[in-house]
């Protein structure tokens, strides 16, 4: 079963149902039913036109649900005229769906969660991890969002800021998670940049390109993580770095700083350094100061503490870290790194082991476990 194919076809199928008049919540339910049916049927009887098959099944499920719902009798004229079977439209509706999901009737956080689930193809667990909330909380948020838009025609696009947030989270999940969505997020952000003249759109595209440029060096042949300081910079994609830096410089010149531009500036400083030792940590701390000022994001404060540890010494970094909530993701790993830099190997080894226990992904857990084992070996344990 080609799960990647199903995931890539989902936005187009959903877009076709919405264009035919289905409200978004009902269309999303029908598409999910069609995907389940595809998983059941395709291994033994694969269709010649996968997208057309999904559209046909999803539309029939939508019609069945509509006919069964007495509250939707106003759709009787629609359900009597089922479109004839035929090749599915090749129009790419994905970016349009991102805007429609950012519906004015939804809060930005609910719109992002709904889009990630319905269009981005992420699971509720993956979305909850991105939002730093329990899975049950996110499931309730998505359910409320679907109830809010039930029966609402998705004909009013939402705002760019919400769409940018969705694209950013999709990219992050694709870059570091178990579903590869990074290239798709870059493709859609390029489309958005071509349509919308806004420095934050450019900032997000630059950020994605700069991070994606390092992707080949992020893992060893055995699949283990390679920390930034240990990466082979010769494997970085210099063309993507050059493009990202040029886009960022043009955005910054407009003097309308936003969080994505600030994050891209940090990434650009890492990309510009010929080695880890030559990294301009003082400037990176200054950019994190700007990012904290713009967002007051706890993860930005955590990253700033690590940068302070590089710029002003590990004791200064630990002081900055002590002011933050120790339940933050990767807080323990950051503390372990700074304690190791400070020479306290016993504490660092204990914290690396603790951080490994908390790590959300297998590759990260294995990396932290190896760090703890390395220090324990040095301590003769």
């Amino acid at each position: 079963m080609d799960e990647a194919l199903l995931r890539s076809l989902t936005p187009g199928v959903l877009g076709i149902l919405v264009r035919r008049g289905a409200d978004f919540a009902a269309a999303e339910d029908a598409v999910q039913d069609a995907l389940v049916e595809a998983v059941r049927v395709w291994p033994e009887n694969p269709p010649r036109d996968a997208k057309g098959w999904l559209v046909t099944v999803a539309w029939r499920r939508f019609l069945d649900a509509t006919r069964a719902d007495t509250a939707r009798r106003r759709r009787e004229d629609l359900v009597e005229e089922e479109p004839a079977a035929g090749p599915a439209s090749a129009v790419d509706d994905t970016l349009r769906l991102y805007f429609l999901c950012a519906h004015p009737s939804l809060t930005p956080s609910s719109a992002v969660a709904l889009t990630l689930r319905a269009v981005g193809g992420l699971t509720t667990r993956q979305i909850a991890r991105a939002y730093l909330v329990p899975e049950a909380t996110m499931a309730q948020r998505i359910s409320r969002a679907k109830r809010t838009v039930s029966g609402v025609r998705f004909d009013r696009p939402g705002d760019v800021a919400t769409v940018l947030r969705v694209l950013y989270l999709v990219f992050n999940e694709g870059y570091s998670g178990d579903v590869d969505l990074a290239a798709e997020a870059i493709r859609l952000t390029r489309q958005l940049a071509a349509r919308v003249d806004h420095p934050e759109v450019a900032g997000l595209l630059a950020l994605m390109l700069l991070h994606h440029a390092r992707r080949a060096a992020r893992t060893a042949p055995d699949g283990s993580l390679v920390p930034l300081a240990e990466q082979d910079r010769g494997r970085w994609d210099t063309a993507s770095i050059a493009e990202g830096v040029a886009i960022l410089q043009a955005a910054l010149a407009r003097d309308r700083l936003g969080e994505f531009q600030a994050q891209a500036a940090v990434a650009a400083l890492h990309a510009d350094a010929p080695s880890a030792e030559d990294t301009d940590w003082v400037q990176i701390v200054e950019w994190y100061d700007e990012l904290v000022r713009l967002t007051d994001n706890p993860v930005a404060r955590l990253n700033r503490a690590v940068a302070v540890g590089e710029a002003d010494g590990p004791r200064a970094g630990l002081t900055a870290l002590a002011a933050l909530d120790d339940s933050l993701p990767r807080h323990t790993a950051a503390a372990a790194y700074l304690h190791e830099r400070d020479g306290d190997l016993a504490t660092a080894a204990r914290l690396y082991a603790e951080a490994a226990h908390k790590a959300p992904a297998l590759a990260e857990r294995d990396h932290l476990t190896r760090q703890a084992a390395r220090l324990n070996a040095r301590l003769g344990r």
Side-chain angles (χ1 to χ4, degrees):
M1 193 66 218
D2 190 346
E3 294 183 8
L5 174 63
L6 283 178
R7 193 177 300 113
S8 68
L9 293 175
T10 297
V13 177
L14 185 58
I16 288 172
L17 265 65
V18 170
R19 284 206 308 276
R20 287 181 178 180
D23 73 73
F24 184 87
E28 202 267 337
D29 286 340
V31 172
Q32 292 298 323
D33 286 345
L35 294 174
V36 171
E37 186 68 6
V39 171
R40 187 182 71 82
V41 172
W42 286 10
E44 298 296 329
N45 187 21
R48 282 181 294 181
D49 178 6
K51 185 176 181 180
W53 189 98
L54 286 171
V55 169
T56 299
V57 173
W59 184 249
R60 287 172 179 166
R61 293 298 172 89
F62 165 70
L63 294 181
D64 289 344
T66 303
R67 290 189 179 102
D69 189 348
T70 57
R72 296 176 185 170
R73 293 301 184 189
R74 66 183 183 280
R75 297 183 182 275
E76 283 299 318
D77 291 339
L78 174 66
V79 301
E80 292 298 326
E81 299 178 1
E82 179 178 351
S89 169
V91 175
D92 184 354
D93 288 304
T94 310
L95 189 59
R96 175 175 175 268
L97 284 172
Y98 273 56
F99 270 97
L100 293 179
C101 285
H103 198 275
S105 64
L106 294 171
T107 64
S109 61
S110 294
V112 171
L114 180 62
T115 313
L116 291 172
R117 179 72 183 87
V119 187
L122 274 64
T123 66
T124 303
R125 177 176 296 177
Q126 290 167 327
I127 301 168
R129 191 169 69 227
Y131 268 92
L132 311 180
V133 299
E135 184 176 353
T137 300
M138 183 52 63
Q140 291 175 352
R141 185 178 300 179
I142 293 172
S143 295
R144 283 197 301 270
K146 291 179 69 173
R147 285 197 300 271
T148 299
V149 299
S150 180
V152 173
R153 286 297 301 272
F154 270 41
D155 53 4
R156 288 189 296 159
D159 69 344
V160 173
T162 301
V163 174
L164 287 178
R165 178 62 49 192
V166 175
L167 290 169
Y168 174 67
L169 290 173
V170 169
F171 177 81
N172 280 346
E173 188 60 42
Y175 189 72
S176 61
D178 55 356
V179 178
D180 188 356
L181 297 168
E184 174 69 357
I186 291 174
R187 183 183 73 84
L188 293 173
T189 306
R190 284 191 187 279
Q191 287 186 11
L192 185 59
R195 300 179 190 181
V196 178
D197 182 22
H198 193 288
E200 273 294 82
V201 177
L204 179 59
L205 179 57
L207 175 63
M208 289 178 174
L209 290 169
L210 290 164
H211 276 301
H212 206 61
R214 303 199 301 258
R215 186 165 191 177
R218 292 183 71 245
T219 54
D222 63 359
S224 60
L225 289 181
V226 180
L228 177 61
E230 300 172 17
Q231 289 177 15
D232 177 1
R233 299 183 180 223
R235 299 184 65 197
W236 290 1
D237 182 346
T238 54
S240 292
I241 290 172
E243 182 185 6
V245 169
I247 292 171
L248 174 63
Q249 288 174 338
L252 292 174
R254 300 176 66 174
D255 198 24
R256 291 166 58 193
L257 184 64
E259 62 173 300
F260 295 123
Q261 294 169 74
Q263 288 191 58
V266 172
L269 286 167
H270 283 300
D272 187 54
S275 68
E277 293 75 19
D278 296 319
T279 303
D280 189 344
W281 287 106
V282 172
Q283 260 204 86
I284 288 176
V285 171
E286 291 173 355
W287 278 111
Y288 273 125
D289 287 338
E290 291 288 348
L291 189 57
V292 168
R293 179 183 63 80
L294 289 165
T295 67
D296 197 28
N297 185 293
V299 176
R301 290 185 177 276
L302 178 69
N303 291 334
R304 178 189 177 279
V306 175
V308 167
E310 299 286 0
D312 300 330
R315 296 281 176 91
L318 287 166
T319 299
L321 195 64
L324 305 178
D325 184 350
D326 62 8
S327 67
L328 273 174
R330 298 184 174 86
H331 184 285
T332 307
Y337 173 74
L338 291 170
H339 275 290
E340 181 182 358
R341 288 279 319 279
D342 195 38
D344 187 352
L345 303 189
T347 299
R350 175 178 58 78
L351 290 173
Y352 275 131
E354 188 179 322
H357 182 70
K358 299 176 181 177
L362 179 61
E364 184 178 350
R365 183 161 63 248
D366 288 346
H367 170 72
L368 292 168
T369 300
R370 283 193 295 271
Q371 295 293 82
R374 173 179 57 82
L375 293 186
N376 282 325
R378 288 179 61 183
L379 292 166
R381 294 177 177 175

